[in-house]
Amino acid sequence: MGDNDYYYVLQYDSTEDHLNEVAVFATNTILDKFYRGPGLDPRPYLPVCLREKGPEWPTGDDGINVDLVRQDCGTTFCTSDRCPKYKLLNKDDIGVEKRVWYETGPVLWTTAPTCYYEQAHQLSQPEMFKFLQDNSALPPDATFSRFTPIATSIWQYKPYDGPCSRMYETFPFLPQDVEDKLPDGGAWYVQKYPDYAAQNFTTEVMCFGGHGEPKDIMAAGRRLFEHVQDRKVCWDFSAIVEYNVQSRLFDRHNEAMQPIYPDGRKLCFNWTEYDQPFKVNFELPEDWYTEPSNAGKSIPCGGPNSPKCAPVTFIRHFGHFAEMRMAKSRWVCTEQSSQTSPDPFHKGLNRLLSYINGDNDAAVSMETTLPILKLVRAAEVMTYSPFTAKVCLYLDKVHQDNPPKPTDPKVYVTGPVEETDYYVTWFEVNDNLKHISDVIGNLFENVTSEMASMSPTFNITFDADFIVEAQYYSEAIMPYLGSLVTFKKVPAEIATFRTDEEKKAGRAECGEFPCVHETVKEFDGFLEIKFNYASGKLICWNSPGCGVSNGRHFMRAINRYADGYNIEGVKVTGFTPPVYSQCTQLDASCRGPYCEWKSSFCMMLPEEYKDKDAPTPIAEGLAVVAEDSRSVYVTKVEGSGVVVNDDAEKAYMKLFAKLRAGGFPCDLEKFAQISYISSSIPSWPGFQYVGVPKLGDNSTE
């Protein structure tokens, strides 16, 4: 079929002289969402008239239609040679079938690179289609379409603490004649299994209709699980099989499954060795990412061979971000402080443009290139401190090996930057944003938090010390698309700031600050520490929830307070780290991901306010609190930066288990985080303590 060849519904209205036709392209919401989803360019699959438009149909409510569940599965829903084969053992009073499967291969397998069920097929099926193409298992002119039938496993690999505690694996069933064309195994994320299911693989099965809405699939999975959880079924794993997925009919055949193991294991696929069994969670949490899709924007400036573009290649889509690889390259850079320029990025870019327009020792003009790299330290920007901006331009290919020397002493050419991998996330920039932290602060926190919480299967590592934007679009046109770049490890040639005047030695445990805590007692793997506040006063901020952006908002409020935003209009200097933050569960009896929490953040006021009143805050939620000391059971997490990463969460969970098992006098409904960071020593990564407040201390009041 050609680019504009589609099935249409035609209505004819003929008169004596004319024949009128009305053509309407028909599809359903699932197919439309699939082809508009992350990682796919919708243009080959939608007609021209719909490519830039959203769907017009109503979305309906969020409840499950109980009529979708079927009392009788039937036997004619799949008749091709790729259909899995089973023997029916029995059926209970509501139609749930117990089956033993004896033939289910060959299948392809991949783990969907996402935390969200809605994205699992969009991100995994194109990879499997390419795997088949690369191994000549499809006709040369084959066009991509959804696999059918296809199974999707929902694997709860740890107790539910958000969408990234689940993994999704997809298994399209293949014709028998395809098996010989495919190599055993395959890429690390797409593999062939000739006999996926072992003999006598037994499951409980509930059949349901609909056309694959995620809310219906999850509701059906939950209904089956609640019905059979007291039988010998797995608690950490569920599966969905969809048939005839390309059909536009509403009443397709789908199946929810719970596997059974003879030994009655509850955690069938768990490698994390949790003490207590946990259950698969069927919630569909709201996606935090509201920016433009990453689809079709992998290399926006002409591709890897463009002379105007840094040489990058696409590796893999992860829904909210894409993994890319930058080839060996050389850049021209400059640095500018926000204290000496209201727009340090613009001023720095002007210097670089002067360099490529002839302000160099060879007086040669060079090609204007993309992207423009804008780099800042996270510790500076996320705390609303003065920051140094580093701006870099890719040197065109002609001058990569022998670049002319800048005549401006503030401009320099980097050494060769070795090949490096990074992740990119797109976001929209408009002209009413006042601070770089407002532009990408929330995005940086959300992306790095998601990366840190994704399964180790994906081997995602990243450098959270720097925030980098790669700009491919003109700021003269608002809004424009920016791209947040998160390096696996920022190359030293890019990360080094030549204008730094840092203290290189003599740093105490708490950086250049005096430590305001003392170690009371050391235990096996954790400490009891006590904070002694010399001024007897803290400046604290309370807010609902414990989201990733609360700490950044606290630092902004503190900086405004220190700059004179208080009733007396007095500037306050000499705040001493750490930032003590605490999350408290409002209802101690609540269990699960939807319990309500509140957060508080505190810093010690300067000692000069020990015997006099501190300025009265104006900002809502900010207050001066009298407190001399507080005690906490903690474990240290070095290099965690300003984001609670996966290492910090793991350290806290281990500490939590030790405190609970040992019966320590502490409040396990509270989570404490103590952050030592420095903006005057930007290269010092800082560290965090995570822990639990000791009972009987002021911090629990």
Side-chain angles (χ1 to χ4, degrees), residues 511-681:
E512 80 270 37
F513 309 109
C515 291
V516 297
H517 71 268
E518 61 176 331
T519 300
V520 177
K521 188 174 182 180
E522 295 186 15
F523 297 92
D524 181 20
F526 66 98
L527 307 170
E528 179 187 342
I529 64 173
K530 184 177 182 179
F531 289 90
N532 297 299
Y533 299 122
S535 66
K537 295 184 179 71
L538 305 177
I539 182 76
C540 296
W541 185 69
N542 297 296
S543 65
C546 283
V548 294
S549 62
N550 292 38
R552 185 165 56 87
H553 295 321
F554 165 68
M555 292 305 301
R556 184 176 193 178
I558 284 291
N559 283 332
R560 293 185 69 201
Y561 173 80
D563 198 40
Y565 186 62
N566 49 67
I567 291 178
E568 291 79 6
V570 175
K571 292 194 174 185
V572 182
T573 59
F575 281 103
T576 302
V579 176
Y580 184 103
S581 60
Q582 183 169 287
C583 287
T584 305
Q585 189 170 308
L586 297 182
D587 181 1
S589 64
C590 180
R591 294 292 181 267
Y594 299 106
C595 301
E596 290 189 77
W597 293 74
K598 67 177 181 179
S599 58
S600 64
F601 296 80
C602 297
M603 284 185 75
M604 185 179 74
L605 281 163
E607 193 171 351
E608 66 178 280
Y609 292 103
K610 180 177 182 179
D611 298 319
K612 66 177 182 178
D613 292 337
T616 306
I618 297 175
E620 183 179 357
L622 203 63
V624 175
V625 177
E627 187 170 323
D628 294 322
S629 64
R630 61 175 67 182
S631 298
V632 197
Y633 294 107
V634 298
T635 185
K636 190 176 181 181
V637 186
E638 296 194 42
S640 185
V642 294
V643 177
V644 180
N645 62 15
D646 200 36
D647 290 337
E649 292 183 0
K650 290 177 181 176
Y652 170 74
M653 293 304 295
K654 290 180 180 178
L655 173 63
F656 183 94
K658 289 181 179 181
L659 294 174
R660 183 175 61 180
F664 283 81
C666 56
D667 192 340
L668 294 175
E669 305 301 332
K670 292 182 172 68
F671 164 76
Q673 175 191 354
I674 299 99
S675 303
Y676 280 94
I677 57 175
S678 168
S679 58
S680 62
I681 307 180

Side-chain angles (χ1 to χ4, degrees), residues 311 325-331 400 414-422 487 489-494:
R325 177 167 294 150
M326 182 184 296
K328 187 175 180 179
S329 57
R330 197 187 294 263
W331 300 71
Q400 277 286 312
T414 71
V417 177
E418 297 300 321
E419 179 181 86
T420 185
D421 291 350
Y422 64 95
F487 285 94
K489 182 64 180 176
V490 179
E493 292 287 346
I494 299 294

